Amino acid sequence: NSNVTFIVNSESTMTQGAAMVLANKMLEQGDNVSILLCDKAGDLALKNNTGKALKPANVTPGQMLDGAIKKGAKVAVCALYIPNSGNTPDSLKEGVTPAKPDAMAKQMTEPNRKVFSF
């Protein structure tokens, strides 16, 4: 099994959706997945996130993120998201936390980890 980190910062619904589809597939294959949401993609972590549903499954990237969390993904918003978005840690979905830069930097440089950016 692989250790994988997804860094998602695009505000594009299709790009966010592609990242979430792949993250969910990797989780189903038994990989250890971490997802770091930055900039507009941080909004996926909000309890009240709506977003546009994508075909063919007719689910939003936020709903796909919920699925990844249920499958065991570790999800964080980048450290800059809360202080710069006008949101609070309380507005984040259960299981989502603000990232700690030291821990994230260490994780990203692990020799056996793959890092993907969307």
Side-chain angles (χ1 to χ4, degrees):
N1 296 2
S2 297
N3 293 318
V4 182
T5 298
F6 279 82
I7 301 172
V8 187
N9 56 39
S10 175
E11 65 183 303
S12 160
T13 302
M14 273 196 268
T15 302
Q16 292 174 350
M20 293 304 117
V21 166
L22 292 170
N24 274 286
K25 290 298 177 194
M26 288 179 191
L27 285 157
E28 289 164 18
Q29 293 169 10
D31 294 319
N32 300 308
V33 176
S34 290
I35 302 171
L36 177 64
L37 302 168
C38 298
D39 204 2
K40 290 292 183 193
D43 295 351
L44 296 178
L46 297 174
K47 289 175 188 165
N48 65 359
N49 179 262
T50 51
K52 184 179 174 209
L54 292 165
K55 296 174 183 168
N58 291 316
V59 291
T60 68
Q63 290 167 325
M64 290 184 230
L65 177 67
D66 295 343
I69 291 169
K70 285 186 184 115
K71 291 177 187 118
K74 292 177 181 62
V75 182
V77 291
C78 68
L80 297 174
Y81 181 76
I82 293 296
N84 292 286
S85 68
N87 294 296
T88 65
D90 291 343
S91 57
L92 298 174
K93 294 176 180 181
E94 190 174 331
V96 181
T97 58
K100 295 183 172 42
D102 321 0
M104 188 53 64
K106 186 172 184 161
Q107 180 190 104
M108 290 170 65
T109 58
E110 289 172 0
N112 64 341
R113 182 169 293 274
K114 294 180 171 100
V115 179
F116 299 97
S117 185
F118 286 82

